[in-house]
Amino acid sequence: QKEVEQNSGPLSVPEGAIASLNCTYSDRVSQSFFWYRQYSGKSPELIMSIYSNGDKEDGRFTAQLNKASQYVSLLIRDSQPSDSATYLCAVNNNAGNMLTFGGGTRLMVKP
Amino acid sequence: EPEVTQTPSHQVTQMGQEVILRCVPISNHLYFYWYRQILGQKVEFLVSFYNNEISEKSEIFDDQFSVERPDGSNFTLKIRSTKLEDSAMYFCANMLGQRKYNEQFFGPGTRLTVL
Protein backbone atom coordinates (compact mmCIF):
# COMPACT_ATOMS: atom_id res chain seq x y z
CA GLN A 1 0.00 0.00 0.00
CA LYS A 2 1.53 3.26 -1.14
CA GLU A 3 1.26 5.97 1.49
CA VAL A 4 2.05 9.65 1.40
CA GLU A 5 1.96 11.37 4.76
CA GLN A 6 1.74 15.04 5.63
CA ASN A 7 1.07 16.94 8.81
CA SER A 8 -2.47 18.28 8.42
CA GLY A 9 -1.66 21.53 10.23
CA PRO A 10 -2.69 24.24 10.27
CA LEU A 11 0.78 25.68 9.94
CA SER A 12 0.62 29.33 10.86
CA VAL A 13 3.42 31.71 9.86
CA PRO A 14 3.65 35.50 9.87
CA GLU A 15 3.80 37.38 6.59
CA GLY A 16 7.36 37.52 5.27
CA ALA A 17 8.49 34.39 7.09
CA ILE A 18 9.61 31.07 5.61
CA ALA A 19 7.00 28.32 5.58
CA SER A 20 8.33 24.76 5.65
CA LEU A 21 6.06 21.93 4.55
CA ASN A 22 7.05 18.28 4.84
CA CYS A 23 6.01 15.01 3.25
CA THR A 24 7.11 11.39 3.61
CA TYR A 25 6.31 8.52 1.28
CA SER A 26 6.42 4.76 1.68
CA ASP A 27 7.05 3.45 -1.84
CA ARG A 28 10.80 3.30 -2.44
CA VAL A 29 10.41 3.06 -6.20
CA SER A 30 8.71 6.47 -6.37
CA GLN A 31 10.44 8.56 -9.02
CA SER A 32 8.50 11.79 -9.40
CA PHE A 33 7.38 14.18 -6.70
CA PHE A 34 5.00 17.08 -6.93
CA TRP A 35 3.64 19.88 -4.81
CA TYR A 36 0.16 21.17 -5.53
CA ARG A 37 -1.58 24.13 -3.99
CA GLN A 38 -5.32 23.85 -3.38
CA TYR A 39 -7.46 26.79 -2.38
CA SER A 40 -10.71 25.96 -0.63
CA GLY A 41 -13.28 24.67 -3.12
CA LYS A 42 -10.81 24.73 -6.01
CA SER A 43 -8.77 22.15 -7.88
CA PRO A 44 -5.11 21.26 -7.22
CA GLU A 45 -2.69 23.63 -8.96
CA LEU A 46 0.79 22.33 -9.73
CA ILE A 47 3.49 24.56 -8.26
CA MET A 48 6.62 22.37 -8.17
CA SER A 49 7.93 19.09 -9.52
CA ILE A 50 11.18 17.41 -8.50
CA TYR A 51 12.81 14.20 -9.73
CA SER A 52 16.38 14.17 -8.37
CA ASN A 53 17.85 14.36 -4.91
CA GLY A 54 18.67 17.87 -3.77
CA ASP A 55 17.02 21.23 -4.10
CA LYS A 56 15.03 22.81 -6.89
CA GLU A 57 14.20 26.49 -6.74
CA ASP A 58 11.47 28.38 -8.59
CA GLY A 59 10.90 31.92 -7.45
CA ARG A 60 9.89 31.92 -3.79
CA PHE A 61 9.47 28.15 -3.78
CA THR A 62 12.16 25.53 -3.11
CA ALA A 63 11.46 21.82 -3.26
CA GLN A 64 13.84 19.44 -1.52
CA LEU A 65 14.06 15.71 -2.14
CA ASN A 66 15.89 13.05 -0.14
CA LYS A 67 15.16 9.63 -1.62
CA ALA A 68 17.24 7.78 0.98
CA SER A 69 15.03 9.18 3.74
CA GLN A 70 11.89 9.09 1.53
CA TYR A 71 11.26 12.70 2.32
CA VAL A 72 10.13 15.70 0.26
CA SER A 73 9.74 19.24 1.48
CA LEU A 74 8.57 22.59 0.19
CA LEU A 75 9.93 25.90 1.42
CA ILE A 76 8.05 29.10 0.73
CA ARG A 77 10.13 32.21 1.26
CA ASP A 78 8.66 35.63 2.01
CA SER A 79 5.25 34.07 2.69
CA GLN A 80 2.26 36.15 1.65
CA PRO A 81 -1.37 35.99 2.84
CA SER A 82 -2.24 34.81 -0.68
CA ASP A 83 -0.13 31.70 -0.02
CA SER A 84 -2.73 30.62 2.54
CA ALA A 85 -4.03 27.34 1.12
CA THR A 86 -3.70 23.59 1.51
CA TYR A 87 -0.49 22.18 0.03
CA LEU A 88 -0.69 18.67 -1.35
CA CYS A 89 2.28 16.38 -1.81
CA ALA A 90 1.92 13.79 -4.59
CA VAL A 91 4.17 11.02 -5.87
CA ASN A 92 4.23 8.51 -8.68
CA ASN A 93 6.57 5.73 -9.70
CA ASN A 94 6.57 6.22 -13.44
CA ALA A 95 5.41 8.62 -16.11
CA GLY A 96 1.82 7.95 -17.04
CA ASN A 97 1.05 6.40 -13.69
CA MET A 98 -1.37 7.48 -11.05
CA LEU A 99 -0.51 10.11 -8.49
CA THR A 100 -0.76 9.17 -4.83
CA PHE A 101 -1.63 12.21 -2.73
CA GLY A 102 -1.02 13.06 0.87
CA GLY A 103 -3.78 14.55 2.94
CA GLY A 104 -2.35 18.04 2.61
CA THR A 105 -1.04 20.65 5.02
CA ARG A 106 -3.12 23.76 5.59
CA LEU A 107 -0.94 26.86 5.61
CA MET A 108 -2.13 30.12 7.13
CA VAL A 109 -0.05 33.23 6.52
CA LYS A 110 -1.04 36.01 8.92
CA PRO A 111 -0.60 39.67 7.90
CA GLU B 1 -1.86 28.95 -21.71
CA PRO B 2 -4.09 25.95 -22.53
CA GLU B 3 -6.24 24.68 -19.69
CA VAL B 4 -8.28 21.61 -18.91
CA THR B 5 -12.00 22.37 -18.80
CA GLN B 6 -14.77 20.38 -17.16
CA THR B 7 -18.55 20.44 -17.36
CA PRO B 8 -20.80 20.79 -15.52
CA SER B 9 -19.28 22.65 -12.60
CA HIS B 10 -21.98 21.28 -10.30
CA GLN B 11 -24.27 18.27 -10.83
CA VAL B 12 -27.09 17.36 -8.48
CA THR B 13 -28.71 13.96 -8.99
CA GLN B 14 -30.93 11.45 -7.28
CA MET B 15 -29.51 8.20 -5.95
CA GLY B 16 -29.65 5.50 -8.62
CA GLN B 17 -29.47 7.91 -11.54
CA GLU B 18 -26.75 7.91 -14.17
CA VAL B 19 -24.41 10.87 -14.50
CA ILE B 20 -21.84 11.77 -17.13
CA LEU B 21 -19.02 14.13 -16.27
CA ARG B 22 -17.18 15.74 -19.14
CA CYS B 23 -13.62 16.95 -19.60
CA VAL B 24 -11.97 18.74 -22.51
CA PRO B 25 -8.27 17.95 -22.23
CA ILE B 26 -5.36 20.09 -23.36
CA SER B 27 -5.09 19.28 -27.05
CA ASN B 28 -1.64 17.70 -27.35
CA HIS B 29 -1.75 15.78 -24.09
CA LEU B 30 -1.79 12.02 -24.33
CA TYR B 31 -2.62 10.75 -20.86
CA PHE B 32 -5.94 11.39 -19.14
CA TYR B 33 -6.96 10.77 -15.56
CA TRP B 34 -9.95 11.00 -13.27
CA TYR B 35 -9.51 11.70 -9.57
CA ARG B 36 -12.07 12.39 -6.89
CA GLN B 37 -11.98 14.19 -3.57
CA ILE B 38 -14.64 13.61 -0.96
CA LEU B 39 -15.12 16.73 1.16
CA GLY B 40 -12.31 17.01 3.72
CA GLN B 41 -10.47 13.96 2.43
CA LYS B 42 -7.50 13.13 0.19
CA VAL B 43 -7.49 13.36 -3.58
CA GLU B 44 -7.96 9.77 -4.77
CA PHE B 45 -7.03 8.25 -8.12
CA LEU B 46 -9.83 6.60 -10.08
CA VAL B 47 -8.56 5.73 -13.54
CA SER B 48 -5.98 6.54 -16.20
CA PHE B 49 -6.56 6.42 -19.94
CA TYR B 50 -4.00 6.25 -22.73
CA ASN B 51 -4.24 5.38 -26.39
CA ASN B 52 -8.01 4.94 -26.12
CA GLU B 53 -7.94 2.40 -23.37
CA ILE B 54 -7.76 2.19 -19.59
CA SER B 55 -4.15 1.81 -18.47
CA GLU B 56 -4.69 1.71 -14.72
CA LYS B 57 -7.63 1.82 -12.33
CA SER B 58 -8.14 1.86 -8.59
CA GLU B 59 -10.37 -0.26 -6.38
CA ILE B 60 -12.86 2.62 -6.32
CA PHE B 61 -13.36 2.29 -10.10
CA ASP B 62 -15.80 -0.60 -10.03
CA ASP B 63 -18.37 -1.75 -12.58
CA GLN B 64 -20.51 1.33 -11.92
CA PHE B 65 -17.84 3.52 -13.49
CA SER B 66 -16.76 3.79 -17.11
CA VAL B 67 -14.66 6.17 -19.17
CA GLU B 68 -14.47 6.92 -22.83
CA ARG B 69 -13.25 9.43 -25.35
CA PRO B 70 -16.22 9.39 -27.70
CA ASP B 71 -15.13 11.96 -30.25
CA GLY B 72 -11.37 12.14 -29.88
CA SER B 73 -11.51 15.31 -27.82
CA ASN B 74 -13.92 15.04 -24.88
CA PHE B 75 -13.06 12.60 -22.11
CA THR B 76 -16.01 11.40 -20.05
CA LEU B 77 -16.61 9.63 -16.76
CA LYS B 78 -19.94 7.85 -16.41
CA ILE B 79 -21.39 6.63 -13.14
CA ARG B 80 -24.22 4.24 -13.98
CA SER B 81 -26.18 4.16 -10.74
CA THR B 82 -25.07 6.82 -8.30
CA LYS B 83 -24.85 6.21 -4.57
CA LEU B 84 -24.83 8.72 -1.75
CA GLU B 85 -21.13 8.03 -1.19
CA ASP B 86 -20.33 9.10 -4.76
CA SER B 87 -20.84 12.70 -3.67
CA ALA B 88 -17.46 14.35 -4.19
CA MET B 89 -15.44 16.68 -6.39
CA TYR B 90 -14.35 14.90 -9.56
CA PHE B 91 -11.22 16.18 -11.25
CA CYS B 92 -9.98 15.44 -14.73
CA ALA B 93 -6.21 15.67 -15.21
CA ASN B 94 -3.94 15.54 -18.25
CA MET B 95 -0.30 14.76 -18.84
CA LEU B 96 1.70 15.69 -21.92
CA GLY B 97 3.28 12.25 -22.17
CA GLN B 98 6.95 12.98 -22.60
CA ARG B 99 8.88 11.08 -19.96
CA LYS B 100 10.77 14.11 -18.72
CA TYR B 101 7.63 16.13 -18.23
CA ASN B 102 5.24 13.83 -16.42
CA GLU B 103 3.38 16.64 -14.75
CA GLN B 104 -0.36 16.27 -14.40
CA PHE B 105 -2.56 19.34 -14.79
CA PHE B 106 -5.97 19.39 -13.21
CA GLY B 107 -9.24 20.80 -14.44
CA PRO B 108 -11.49 22.92 -12.22
CA GLY B 109 -13.58 19.94 -11.19
CA THR B 110 -17.22 18.92 -11.10
CA ARG B 111 -18.98 18.90 -7.77
CA LEU B 112 -21.32 15.90 -7.73
CA THR B 113 -24.08 15.87 -5.13
CA VAL B 114 -26.14 12.68 -4.82
CA LEU B 115 -29.40 13.06 -2.90
Side-chain angles (χ1 to χ4, degrees), chain B residues 85-105:
Chain B
E85 54 264 38
D86 293 328
S87 294
M89 284 290 290
Y90 287 81
F91 298 112
C92 171
N94 297 176
M95 189 183 80
L96 179 60
Q98 296 179 22
R99 187 167 185 85
K100 183 179 179 182
Y101 302 108
N102 60 343
E103 298 168 332
Q104 295 184 25
F105 298 94

Side-chain angles (χ1 to χ4, degrees), chain A residues 2-5 31-32 34 36 38 41-44 46 48-49 51 56 88 92 94-103, chain B residues 31 33 35 37 41-45 48 55-56 58 89 91 95 97-109 111:
Chain A
K2 302 173 187 176
E3 297 285 344
V4 179
E5 299 292 338
Q31 296 184 5
S32 305
F34 306 92
Y36 287 84
Q38 187 175 33
K42 301 295 185 183
S43 63
L46 181 67
M48 288 289 284
S49 58
Y51 309 101
K56 178 182 177 183
L88 308 177
N92 73 10
N94 204 357
N97 285 10
M98 56 177 278
L99 290 175
T100 301
F101 281 85
Chain B
Y31 290 82
Y33 308 83
Y35 292 84
Q37 187 176 32
Q41 298 188 22
K42 292 184 180 184
V43 175
E44 300 174 290
F45 168 76
S48 59
S55 53
E56 195 172 10
S58 72
M89 284 290 290
F91 298 112
M95 189 183 80
Q98 296 179 22
R99 187 167 185 85
K100 183 179 179 182
Y101 302 108
N102 60 343
E103 298 168 332
Q104 295 184 25
F105 298 94
F106 282 67
R111 180 175 299 281

Side-chain angles (χ1 to χ4, degrees), chain B:
Chain B
E1 185 170 326
E3 292 182 342
V4 180
T5 59
Q6 290 185 244
T7 57
S9 57
H10 190 188
Q11 174 87 50
V12 181
T13 189
Q14 295 290 327
M15 190 169 58
Q17 295 297 304
E18 175 183 287
V19 295
I20 298 176
L21 310 182
R22 291 182 170 80
C23 170
V24 179
I26 299 171
S27 62
N28 58 340
H29 284 208
L30 302 179
Y31 290 82
F32 311 106
Y33 308 83
W34 284 101
Y35 292 84
R36 79 171 186 190
Q37 187 176 32
I38 295 170
L39 186 63
Q41 298 188 22
K42 292 184 180 184
V43 175
E44 300 174 290
F45 168 76
L46 293 177
V47 64
S48 59
F49 193 83
Y50 171 70
N51 201 25
N52 290 320
E53 62 182 28
I54 290 174
S55 53
E56 195 172 10
K57 61 182 180 179
S58 72
E59 292 177 352
I60 302 168
F61 194 87
D62 61 20
D63 292 345
Q64 293 300 312
F65 291 87
S66 62
V67 290
E68 62 176 6
R69 207 167 172 222
D71 55 10
S73 59
N74 293 306
F75 178 50
T76 64
L77 174 69
K78 181 191 292 186
I79 309 175
R80 269 181 267 281
S81 178
T82 50
K83 303 186 287 287
L84 294 176
E85 54 264 38
D86 293 328
S87 294
M89 284 290 290
Y90 287 81
F91 298 112
C92 171
N94 297 176
M95 189 183 80
L96 179 60
Q98 296 179 22
R99 187 167 185 85
K100 183 179 179 182
Y101 302 108
N102 60 343
E103 298 168 332
Q104 295 184 25
F105 298 94
F106 282 67
T110 293
R111 180 175 299 281
L112 176 65
T113 302
V114 182
L115 303 176

Side-chain angles (χ1 to χ4, degrees), chain A residues 45-60:
Chain A
E45 175 192 6
L46 181 67
I47 53 172
M48 288 289 284
S49 58
I50 186 166
Y51 309 101
S52 305
N53 280 326
D55 294 1
K56 178 182 177 183
E57 186 174 317
D58 184 1
R60 296 187 295 114

